[in-house]
Amino acid sequence: MAFPTVSAPYGLEAINSLDGKPYAGAIRQIPIAAGFGTAIFNGDTVQINSDGYLIKSTSTNAGTIVGVCMGGQYVNSSGQTVQGQYIPALASTTANPAYAYVVDDQQALFKVAVVTSGTTMGTASRADVGSNVALVLNAGNTSTGNSAFAVTLTGAGTTATIPLRVIDVVPETATSAGVYTELLVKINTHQYNNTTGV
C-alpha cells in the first residue's frame, strides 16, 4: 500500500520547475473581474479573459490556461480585507477588487491526482508519461478552500489542444508495482505561449 494514500483529488499543487529547481512560492497577483460569479479554489486552473481579468478555467480537454490559483485576497461583507485559501463567488466589486495568487510560470510542474471520473480515484503507469491529459473540474470545498480538480486518462494521447502534459509519475503514491495515483504535469496550452493572444 502506498504511503500516503491519496483518497480524493485536491487540485493542482506546484512542486518544482521543469529544469528541476524547487518551487519557491513565486506567484503573480491577478485581479478578478467585478461580479465574477464563480468561486475560485486553491488548486483550480485559471485563465485571463479578453478584458484582462482572471476567471476560473472551464477547459477540460481544450482551451488555454494561464496557471493555477493558490488562494487570494478579497473584501468580505464586513469590509475587512481577507487573505484566503479561496476566493468566494462575487467577492470582487468595482470598489473592492479581489485578486488571485497565481502560479503562472510556463515551466512549473504540478502534482495532481488521477481519477476515472468525478472524484473516483484512478491510476496511471509510466506508459502515460509524455501524454497529454484532460482535466476533471470537480467542485471545490468551501470549508477547506481546496480544489477538487484532477486529471483523467480517458482520451489521453497526442492531441495538441489537450491542456496538460504528463512529465512523470509520483513514485511515492504507487499502490503496487508500476501503478500510481498521482502524476507530475505541466500546462501544455499555456496562455503565455499562445501566439494568437486572447
Side-chain angles (χ1 to χ4, degrees), residues 23-158:
Y23 173 61
I27 54 98
R28 186 175 311 280
Q29 192 169 302
I30 303 176
I32 297 168
F36 180 64
T38 304
I40 304 175
F41 293 87
N42 186 311
D44 284 354
T45 54
V46 289
Q47 61 190 129
I48 296 174
N49 69 11
S50 59
D51 294 322
Y53 289 95
L54 195 78
I55 59 173
K56 186 172 187 167
S57 173
T58 57
S59 301
T60 56
N61 60 0
T64 56
I65 296 168
V66 76
V68 174
C69 176
M70 293 290 145
Q73 176 180 305
Y74 62 94
V75 177
N76 67 16
S77 58
S78 299
Q80 301 162 319
T81 299
V82 176
Q83 291 187 334
Q85 186 82 347
Y86 81 108
I87 302 99
L90 303 177
S92 189
T93 67
T94 303
N96 296 305
Y99 299 88
Y101 306 144
V102 179
V103 179
D104 66 347
D105 182 350
Q106 301 157 59
Q107 299 300 308
L109 296 188
F110 301 91
K111 185 171 67 169
V112 65
V114 178
V115 296
T116 54
S117 66
T119 58
T120 303
M121 291 299 297
T123 58
S125 72
R126 286 217 58 86
D128 298 305
V129 173
S131 296
N132 295 336
V133 293
L135 280 158
V136 177
L137 310 182
N138 297 306
N141 185 322
T142 56
S143 296
T144 65
N146 292 332
S147 173
F149 280 19
V151 295
T152 178
L153 299 179
T154 302
T158 60

